[in-house]
């Protein structure tokens, strides 16, 4: 084949700078893309003219660019073929194109085989059609992409297996598999979950980039005032005083941590700004040497006990970085705008039956960097078709502005067209196929090229016909309830931002604290999805836009914080509540990214049974 390719290039007047290497790569292109040597040279001529390459020498340095061109051309051909044959749904198209109607019907409608307790959900396969158990992943990839050639598929990276308390629960169906005690148990398939959105975020189509210095001042001042009020209301702390006034008496004060300068925060550059009411907004340096342990960052609200003998430096003896948990239940929380998406939803605060929820959580990007085929998303939906979660939570970016093809502007469709064709259509086909019990929640990202670049961020403007109660878009950040399980989510990488700004000291005689748990705990203790101030570079924080949107109005049972940092599922201990000293916990989830570079990433499968101690979770590599 290499001789034929060489002859075709020579006939067209081309020569080579590294003949052997180029011919080997071209032969591989012919095999992967099913091209004849003549077709390959014709494609090269088009690429050669489009790139306006000088001379007739085929250079090895151009082979990577030529490969990208071939992939994009192949994708266009596939998309055109799909559009011609699309009648009912993409699943119907896949059946027609691949002649697998009977196989897929038998596989999908049959009883899924039980999972075994091992590291892999399915055995690796080198064949082109990807399968999960007996479920086809949908459309077999016609391209030999790096994602399609991966060998580790659906590998359990980490799992928490806590058996739920079955004494007061009805037994599962007799069909339930009991062969292995370590299996992740599912809530009964086909049971539709209720959904309530707690919304105080910006509205769709809102105007932004209009915040003023006054808006920023008022937002920060309100945060300090509310924090001080919450500490005093708990009955554990006295009224805060002005920390800038010199005094030999130990006082209690409340304020916000700032850095003295533009560099990284350290013990010598830590300032405290109290409220305008108590100190006129003045700042004073904080001395931390008497504290055995602390964890602070710019923008953090704290209560501090200490003295200021000189009036220039407040010597701290105690630091309070969290608000005591309220005794009242959620029914007594301040009223918030709630959007009920079901007629059968129980009111907030109604208890009696144990809350249960099965959910799959994934965060974008949803396609690899070498193409826009969205293969990881296709695999995820195929997995969800088999495991039957009650809820599928997808967090952006969906159309990633950092994707090479998006950044270069080489796509031939608008970003909104790509979103609706590659994301919404696939999700609509998924819920139509799964039935009325399937629900999907979408949370946008500031990296979404097809959405408003502002934070907090309005929901996607989507109105899928007849599927409004199955596909829901939230604001970013957002809080909602599913089967009375309270879930908070924010697609901005606050964990990474806090990690770069936080400083801490561990007690000398104590064990080291888990850093990721500590960072996640800051989100709850500060009652804010983004407590860092000033915000990290590139974060379009707008204080004039729904100033309450960043507030965490209730303690979530599940907190979803996607991050570029290592994936994890952790049970956070938030403290004690009430006279009975009830331990309050929250499950914090970083699902990782579904796609990483040219390969697959991770997602989380979570089965919640009443509280974190009786819930199961797995981090699975796609």
């Amino acid at each position: 084949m290499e001789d034929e390719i060489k002859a075709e290039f020579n006939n067209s007047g081309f020569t080579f700078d590294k003949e052997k290497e180029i011919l080997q790569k071209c032969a591989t292109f012919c095999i992967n893309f099913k091209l004849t040597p003549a077709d390959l040279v014709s494609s090269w001529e088009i690429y050669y003219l489009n790139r306006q390459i000088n001379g007739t020498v085929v250079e090895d340095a151009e082979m990577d660019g030529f490969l990208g061109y071939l992939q994009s051309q192949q994708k266009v051909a596939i998309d055109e073929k799909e559009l011609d044959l699309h009648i009912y749904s993409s699943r119907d198209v896949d059946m027609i194109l691949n002649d697998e109607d009977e196989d897929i019907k038998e596989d999908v409608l049959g009883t899924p085989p039980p999972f075994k307790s091992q590291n892999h959900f399915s055995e690796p396969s080198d064949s082109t059609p990807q399968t999960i158990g007996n479920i086809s992943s949908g459309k077999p990839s016609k391209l030999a992409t790096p994602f399609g050639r991966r060998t580790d598929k659906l590998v359990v990276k980490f799992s928490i297996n806590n058996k739920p308390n079955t004494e007061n629960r009805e037994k599962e169906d007799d069909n339930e598999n009991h062969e292995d005690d370590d299996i992740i148990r599912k809530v009964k398939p086909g049971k539709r979950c209720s959904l309530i959105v707690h919304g105080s975020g910006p509205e769709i189509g809102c105007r932004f980039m209009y915040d003023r210095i006054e808006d920023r001042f008022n937002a920060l001042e309100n945060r300090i005032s509310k924090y001080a009020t919450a500490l005093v209301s708990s009955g554990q702390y006295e009224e805060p005083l002005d920390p800038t006034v010199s005094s030999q008496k130990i006082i209690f004060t409340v304020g916000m941590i700032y850095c003295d300068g533009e560099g990284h925060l350290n013990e010598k550059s830590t300032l405290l700004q109290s409220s305008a009411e108590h100190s006129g907004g003045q700042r004073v340096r904080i001395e931390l040497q008497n504290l055995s342990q602390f964890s602070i960052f710019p923008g953090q609200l704290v209560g501090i006990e200490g003295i200021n003998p000189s009036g220039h430096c407040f010597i701290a003896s105690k630091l309070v970085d969290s608000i005591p948990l309220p005794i009242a239940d959620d029914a007594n929380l301040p009223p918030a705008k709630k959007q009920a998406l079901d007629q059968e939803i129980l009111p907030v605060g109604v208890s009696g039956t144990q809350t249960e929820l099965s959910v799959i959580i994934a965060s974008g990007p949803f396609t690899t960097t070498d193409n826009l085929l969205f293969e990881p998303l296709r695999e995820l939906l195929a997995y969800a078709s088999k495991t039957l979660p009650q809820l599928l939570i997808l967090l952006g970016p969906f159309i990633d502005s950092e994707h090479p093809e998006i950044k270069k502007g080489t796509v031939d469709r608008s970003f909104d067209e790509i979103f609706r064709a590659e994301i919404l259509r696939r999700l609509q086909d998924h819920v139509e196929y799964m039935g009325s019990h399937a629900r999907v929640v979408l949370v946008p990202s500031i990296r979404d090229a097809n959405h408003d670049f502002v934070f907090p961020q309005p929901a996607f403007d989507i109105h899928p016909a007849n599927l409004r109660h199955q596909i829901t878009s939230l604001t970013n950040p957002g809080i909602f309830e599913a089967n009375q399980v309270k879930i908070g989510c924010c697609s901005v990488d606050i964990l990474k931002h806090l990690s770069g700004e936080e400083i801490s000291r561990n007690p000398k005689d104590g064990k080291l604290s888990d850093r990721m748990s500590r960072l996640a705990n800051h989100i709850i203790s500060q009652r804010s999805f983004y407590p860092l101030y000033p915000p990290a570079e590139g974060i379009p924080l707008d204080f004039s836009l729904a100033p309450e949107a960043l507030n965490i109005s209730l303690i979530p049972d599940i907190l979803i914080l996607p991050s570029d940092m290592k994936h994890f599922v952790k049970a956070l201990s938030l403290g004690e509540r009430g006279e009975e000293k009830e331990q309050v916990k929250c499950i914090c989830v970083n699902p990782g990214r579904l796609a990483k570079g040219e390969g697959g990433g991770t997602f989380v499968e979570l089965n919640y049974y009443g509280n974190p101690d009786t819930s199961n979770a797995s981090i699975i590599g796609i």
Side-chain angles (χ1 to χ4, degrees), residues 83-270:
L83 291 173
D84 292 338
L85 295 175
H86 185 74
I87 300 173
Y88 303 108
S89 71
S90 64
R91 188 174 292 276
D92 300 321
V93 177
D94 299 335
M95 291 177 179
I96 296 170
L97 291 177
N98 303 310
D99 219 9
E100 294 178 350
D101 303 47
E102 296 301 321
D103 292 341
I104 293 181
K105 281 185 181 178
E106 180 178 327
D107 290 338
V108 173
L109 300 179
T111 303
F115 288 148
K116 300 297 181 182
S117 178
Q118 54 187 8
N119 286 339
H120 293 260
F121 278 85
S122 62
E123 293 297 325
S125 170
D126 293 331
S127 57
T128 302
Q130 307 302 330
T131 60
I132 305 173
N134 283 345
I135 297 291
S136 170
S137 65
K139 178 170 59 181
S141 175
K142 294 180 175 61
L143 302 180
T145 62
F147 182 84
R149 292 195 299 266
R150 75 199 190 284
T151 56
D152 291 335
K153 304 171 185 177
L154 297 176
V155 179
V156 178
K157 308 281 189 180
F158 174 81
S159 65
I160 299 176
N161 294 315
N162 298 318
K163 282 190 175 181
N165 181 10
T166 58
E167 294 180 358
N168 298 321
R169 295 179 58 230
E170 295 182 1
K171 292 185 178 180
E172 301 288 340
D173 292 343
D174 292 335
N175 302 356
E176 183 83 12
N177 175 39
H178 296 290
E179 293 181 1
D180 197 320
D181 290 338
D182 292 331
I183 192 170
I184 297 178
R185 299 176 60 183
K186 303 288 184 297
V187 177
K188 185 177 179 181
K191 188 185 297 182
R192 178 182 174 87
C193 71
S194 62
L195 195 67
I196 300 178
V197 176
H198 295 259
S200 58
E203 300 292 337
I204 295 174
C206 63
R207 300 172 66 192
F208 52 93
M209 294 179 64
Y210 287 92
D211 64 330
R212 302 165 297 174
I213 294 179
E214 180 183 356
D215 296 324
R216 292 174 177 263
F217 172 80
N218 289 335
L220 297 176
E221 182 69 15
N222 287 337
R223 280 190 63 198
I224 297 174
S225 298
K226 288 182 178 180
Y227 192 85
T229 301
L231 290 180
V232 173
S233 300
S234 69
Q236 301 179 29
Y237 305 97
E238 59 187 24
E239 283 286 341
L241 301 177
D242 185 358
T244 63
V245 176
S246 61
S247 172
Q248 299 296 326
K249 180 182 177 182
I250 295 178
I251 67 169
F252 178 73
T253 187
V254 174
M256 180 177 290
I257 297 293
Y258 279 89
C259 179
D260 184 14
E262 297 183 357
H264 187 73
L265 182 70
N266 58 62
E267 292 188 29
K268 299 299 182 182
S269 65
T270 304

Side-chain angles (χ1 to χ4, degrees), residues 471-502:
I471 301 179
T472 306
S473 179
L474 300 184
T475 59
N476 174 33
I479 300 178
F480 66 98
E481 288 186 47
N483 285 358
Q484 301 182 57
V485 179
K486 296 177 282 293
I487 303 174
C489 45
C490 177
S491 62
V492 169
D493 197 346
I494 179 59
L495 292 178
K496 186 177 180 180
H497 299 163
L498 282 180
S499 176
E501 297 292 341
E502 180 226 30

Side-chain angles (χ1 to χ4, degrees), residues 112 321 334 584 618:
D321 60 0
V584 179
S618 292

